[in-house]
Amino acid sequence: MPVETLNHLQGPAFSCWSVCAVVLFVKMFALSLIQAGGRTLSGKFPRPEDARAFARGADPIDKDIPIVERATWAWRNDLENIPIFLFLSLAFLLAGGPDDRAVIYFSVFTTARVLHSIVYLLGKQPHRFLCYNLGVVATFVLAGHLLALVLP
């Protein structure tokens, strides 16, 4: 790996990327806790083994309670967006993308995803749509900039 790339990975863009990755991890973990907490507090579990173990042998349910469903849908949406962004953004760093643009792309995406989860849990439209699309736009602009960096 060229020395310039290694030096770039010690700058503000890499620090921002690292913070954003941790924020996204914590956000997704919070969704997991909402799922587990909702099921535990309600005593309603969709899997027979969980119902037996944690709900004193209660019958499993066909459908989760609303907050658990919303957290599950938000989690699934994250799985469709966050890994792609993390790979593209890391490639952007490795390609030597400018720090100022990287910080903007990374911050906008991360903020959009955090807000998306919040409004998803609250069932707010058009806020969810707007937050989702802001994250998508940040990813596409980042991808376009990455291509401009690596193509002759």
Side-chain angles (χ1 to χ4, degrees), residues 58-81:
D59 289 331
I61 58 171
D62 292 329
K63 188 175 177 180
D64 271 318
I65 63 172
I67 190 67
V68 172
E69 279 191 342
R70 288 193 167 280
T72 300
W73 294 333
W75 172 264
R76 288 178 183 161
N77 192 276
D78 282 346
L79 290 178
E80 296 170 359
N81 291 277

Side-chain angles (χ1 to χ4, degrees), residues 26-27 33 89 108 110 118 146:
V26 170
K27 183 198 76 62
L33 291 177
S89 56
V108 168
T110 301
I118 292 168
L146 174 59

Side-chain angles (χ1 to χ4, degrees), residues 1-10:
M1 192 174 284
V3 173
E4 302 84 40
T5 300
L6 293 176
N7 289 338
H8 190 66
L9 292 180
Q10 297 172 356

Side-chain angles (χ1 to χ4, degrees), residues 9 17 20 27 34 46 50 56 60 67 98 109 129 131 136 138 144 150:
L9 292 180
W17 184 83
C20 288
K27 183 198 76 62
I34 290 168
D50 295 339
R56 297 182 188 89
I67 190 67
F109 178 84
F129 172 80
C131 291
V136 168
V150 299

Side-chain angles (χ1 to χ4, degrees), residues 126-148:
H127 306 90
R128 189 177 91 217
F129 172 80
L130 295 171
C131 291
Y132 173 82
N133 283 312
L134 181 60
V136 168
V137 167
T139 303
F140 271 94
V141 172
L142 168 70
H145 196 159
L146 174 59
L147 286 176

Side-chain angles (χ1 to χ4, degrees), residues 12-89:
F14 184 73
S15 295
C16 181
W17 184 83
S18 299
V19 169
C20 288
V22 170
V23 168
L24 293 168
F25 158 74
V26 170
K27 183 198 76 62
M28 290 181 74
F29 193 76
L31 290 173
S32 293
L33 291 177
I34 290 168
Q35 291 172 11
R39 288 179 179 145
T40 302
L41 292 173
S42 70
K44 299 180 186 304
F45 296 87
R47 309 287 181 274
E49 65 275 13
D50 295 339
R52 283 192 303 272
F54 302 113
R56 297 182 188 89
D59 289 331
I61 58 171
D62 292 329
K63 188 175 177 180
D64 271 318
I65 63 172
I67 190 67
V68 172
E69 279 191 342
R70 288 193 167 280
T72 300
W73 294 333
W75 172 264
R76 288 178 183 161
N77 192 276
D78 282 346
L79 290 178
E80 296 170 359
N81 291 277
I82 292 174
I84 293 166
F85 175 80
L86 289 174
F87 284 119
L88 286 173
S89 56

